[in-house]
Amino acid sequence: VGKKATYHHGNLKEALVQRAEQEIEREGFENLKMQALTEAVGVQPSAAYRHYRNRESLLRSLARRSFDRWDAEIRALMARTSPQHQAEAILRFFLGDALARPQMFRLMFDSEYGRDARSIVGMVSFLTLEQALRQLMPEEDEEGVRTRLLWSWATLHGTALLLIEGRLQRFYVGNMHTESLIEDIIRALLPGRSGRRLAPPRSPG
Amino acid sequence: VGKKATYHHGNLKEALVQRAEQEIEREGFENLKMQALTEAVGVQPSAAYRHYRNRESLLRSLARRSFDRWDAEIRALMARTSPQHQAEAILRFFLGDALARPQMFRLMFDSEYGRDARSIVGMVSFLTLEQALRQLMPEEDEEGVRTRLLWSWATLHGTALLLIEGRLQRFYVGNMHTESLIEDIIRALLPGRSGRRLAPPRSPG
DNA sequence: TGTACATCAGTGAACGCGCGTTCACTGATGTAC
DNA sequence: TGTACATCAGTGAACGCGCGTTCACTGATGTAC
C-alpha cells in the first residue's frame, strides 16, 4: 500500500494485466480504457506503452493468456476423466467457465481480439472435444462426428452468449433454472445413451 | 440522377434508411457513420438530425423495421404451412434469413440496438415457435416444451453467429457444406420423428 | 389568382470530447573498470 | 568497494483525429385571406 515505494513500479506489466482482467469482467472489453486502467494501477497513461504497443495488443495478449489457462484446465480435466465422460466434462466446463467469467468468454469467443489465440489454442480443445465425441459414437464416420462437433460447438456458443446477456432467464417457467437448463442441453448434445428425451427425471423419484 | 433537382430532398428519411441498410450490410452496424451515410445520400450531415434524434435512434429504428419485416414473413410462412411442419419452417427461415442478411441479423439479435424490438416483436415469433414445437411433442409438459424452445433458440443463435463470421466453414470435411450442416442441425432440433441419428441418409439410395 | 407569412427541411461551418497515443524528459538500476 | 555511464521504466503534458452533434442560416412549400 506504500504509495510510490519505488519510482519504478516493479512489475507494471503484470499489474496491468491483472487490473485489466478485473476491469473487463466489470465493464466488458469494449469499455476497457487505457487511461482508466493506468490510473487504477497508479501510473501515467504513457507507462502502459512501454509494455504494450497499443490497446489492441494488450487485449490480444489478455485473450491469449485466457486461452492458455483455459487449455490447461481442459487438459487437466481430461487427465482425470475417463474417456466415456470426457465429452460431457468438456461441455459442462465450457458453459460453467463462460458463466463464471462471462466477459472473458466474450473476449475469447466473441471478439476479434480473441481470434489468433482461438485459432491456435482454441483449436486444440476443439479437437479434444471431437475425440471425446467420437468415443460415444463409434459407428459414425468422420463426417458424422465432425457435424456433431460443429453442432455442439454452435449450441454451446449460443447458449453461453444468451445466458451471459440474461436473455434466456426471463423465459424460465416452473422449476426451470440455469443449471437445469444446462443439464438438459448437455444431455441433448451427448450422443447415444440417454435416448432422445429432452428432460429425463432429474432426481430419484 | 438529376443532382439537386429540388432543394428539399423529398423523402430523405426513407433514403437514409435504405442507404443505412446497405451500409450496414457491407460494413456492420458498428461501422455505420452518420457523416458517410448522409454524404452517400447527397446531403449535409446535419440534415439527418431533422429525422432522427441521434445515431442510436436511427439504429434502433432500423432494427425495429427489420423485426417488423421478419415478423410479417414468419406470419406469412405460418399461414401457408401445416402445423406439423411449422417448427421446421421457422428454424429453416431463421437460419436462411440470418445468412441472407447477416449484418442485419447481428443488429437484431446481437446488439443493444435490437433489444426493444426484440423483446416485443421478437417475442411473438418466439412464442410462435413454441406453439409449433408443442405440436411435435404433445406429451411433453409446459416446462419440457419451454426447455426445448430455449435450447433450439440458443442453437440457432450460435449457429447463425458462427456461420456469419465464417468460423464453422473451415472445419468442414468430406462433403460437408453449409446447407447440409443446417439440415442436420434442424433435424437434430426437431422433436420426434426422425429418431436421434444425426445424419440420416440425405438422398434416396 | 395572387400576395404575406409561418413552417419546415435543408445548408455550411464548426464545435467538442473522449481517448488512444506520442514525445521530450528524468529518476532509478545495473554493469564495467 | 566506489565511481562513471548506459539503459531502462517511468513522468508530465499535450496532441490529434474521428465523428457525432449543434447552431445560426436560408431556400422551398403550404395556407390564410
Side-chain angles (χ1 to χ4, degrees):
Chain A
V1 189
K3 185 184 174 185
K4 200 141 305 184
T6 62
Y7 181 90
H8 282 188
H9 183 287
N11 56 346
L12 177 56
K13 185 164 187 172
E14 185 59 21
L16 286 172
V17 163
Q18 296 286 353
R19 190 75 197 202
E21 286 177 355
Q22 282 179 37
E23 298 282 304
I24 286 175
E25 211 52 80
R26 278 197 302 125
E27 311 281 353
F29 65 87
E30 301 92 331
N31 297 313
L32 181 71
K33 315 276 199 277
M34 295 303 277
Q35 305 192 351
L37 174 61
T38 49
E39 185 181 359
V41 136
V43 107
Q44 293 293 325
S46 48
Y49 294 84
R50 183 81 37 188
H51 301 281
Y52 295 96
R53 189 148 40 83
N54 51 30
R55 179 175 179 276
E56 181 179 344
S57 90
L58 169 60
L59 284 168
R60 287 237 281 261
S61 164
L62 289 168
R64 171 167 291 276
R65 262 175 81 99
S66 193
F67 262 110
D68 285 341
R69 272 204 299 269
W70 202 71
D71 178 58
E73 290 192 56
I74 288 185
R75 283 176 198 280
L77 187 59
M78 292 302 92
R80 67 172 182 268
T81 306
S82 69
Q84 317 89 289
H85 295 108
Q86 290 185 343
E88 182 174 350
I90 292 184
L91 301 182
R92 205 182 302 284
F93 170 75
F94 187 101
L95 290 177
D97 191 65
L99 294 185
R101 301 153 60 236
Q103 297 304 322
M104 254 318 167
F105 176 87
R106 292 189 53 246
L107 177 63
M108 294 162 74
F109 289 100
D110 195 30
S111 90
E112 272 301 300
Y113 303 113
R115 203 185 51 195
D116 289 356
R118 203 160 59 216
S119 72
I120 299 174
V121 188
M123 172 78 93
V124 174
S125 347
F126 194 83
L127 297 178
T128 302
L129 176 55
E130 185 170 49
Q131 296 304 326
L133 286 174
R134 181 166 286 141
Q135 300 280 344
L136 303 179
M137 39 200 311
E139 299 165 19
E140 198 67 60
D141 62 9
E142 189 194 9
E143 205 168 316
V145 176
R146 181 56 62 93
T147 297
R148 181 124 208 155
L149 174 67
L150 296 186
W151 167 42
S152 302
W153 202 269
T155 302
L156 294 178
H157 190 74
T159 303
L161 287 179
L162 291 176
L163 283 174
I164 284 173
E165 289 167 25
R167 285 163 58 186
L168 253 31
Q169 287 84 339
R170 50 190 297 235
F171 294 105
Y172 293 169
V173 293
N175 292 323
M176 288 175 64
H177 51 282
T178 299
E179 283 169 32
S180 67
L181 180 64
I182 287 180
E183 288 307 309
D184 288 337
I185 288 178
I186 288 176
R187 195 151 29 223
L189 290 179
L190 289 174
R193 297 198 286 195
S194 67
R196 82 181 329 280
R197 263 189 63 72
L198 182 64
R202 207 162 287 135
S203 51
Chain B
V1 190
K3 187 183 173 185
K4 201 145 298 188
T6 63
Y7 180 90
H8 284 186
H9 183 286
N11 57 346
L12 177 56
K13 186 164 187 172
E14 184 61 20
L16 286 171
V17 164
Q18 297 286 351
R19 190 76 197 201
E21 287 176 355
Q22 283 179 37
E23 298 283 305
I24 287 175
E25 211 52 79
R26 277 195 303 124
E27 310 282 352
F29 65 87
E30 301 92 333
N31 297 313
L32 181 71
K33 314 276 199 281
M34 295 302 277
Q35 307 193 354
L37 174 61
T38 48
E39 185 181 358
V41 135
V43 107
Q44 292 293 325
S46 49
Y49 294 85
R50 184 78 41 187
H51 301 281
Y52 294 96
R53 190 149 40 82
N54 51 30
R55 178 174 180 276
E56 181 180 344
S57 91
L58 168 60
L59 283 168
R60 287 238 279 262
S61 166
L62 288 168
R64 172 167 290 277
R65 262 175 80 99
S66 192
F67 262 111
D68 284 341
R69 272 205 298 269
W70 202 69
D71 178 58
E73 290 191 56
I74 287 185
R75 283 178 200 279
L77 187 60
M78 293 302 93
R80 65 171 183 267
T81 306
S82 69
Q84 317 91 288
H85 295 109
Q86 290 184 344
E88 182 174 350
I90 292 184
L91 301 183
R92 204 181 303 282
F93 171 76
F94 187 100
L95 290 177
D97 192 64
L99 294 185
R101 299 153 61 236
Q103 297 304 322
M104 253 318 164
F105 175 88
R106 293 189 52 245
L107 177 64
M108 294 163 73
F109 289 99
D110 194 30
S111 92
E112 272 301 299
Y113 303 113
R115 202 185 52 197
D116 288 356
R118 203 161 58 216
S119 73
I120 301 173
V121 188
M123 172 78 93
V124 175
S125 346
F126 194 82
L127 297 177
T128 302
L129 176 56
E130 185 169 49
Q131 294 306 323
L133 285 174
R134 180 165 286 139
Q135 301 280 344
L136 303 179
M137 38 199 313
E139 298 165 19
E140 198 66 61
D141 63 6
E142 189 195 9
E143 207 168 315
V145 175
R146 181 56 62 94
T147 297
R148 181 125 207 154
L149 175 67
L150 296 186
W151 166 42
S152 302
W153 201 269
T155 302
L156 295 177
H157 191 73
T159 303
L161 286 180
L162 291 177
L163 282 175
I164 284 173
E165 290 168 24
R167 285 164 58 185
L168 253 30
Q169 288 83 339
R170 48 190 297 235
F171 294 106
Y172 293 169
V173 293
N175 292 321
M176 288 177 63
H177 51 283
T178 299
E179 283 169 32
S180 66
L181 180 66
I182 289 180
E183 288 307 309
D184 288 336
I185 288 178
I186 288 177
R187 197 153 26 223
L189 290 178
L190 290 174
R193 296 198 288 195
S194 66
R196 84 180 325 280
R197 260 187 65 73
L198 182 64
R202 207 162 286 133
S203 49

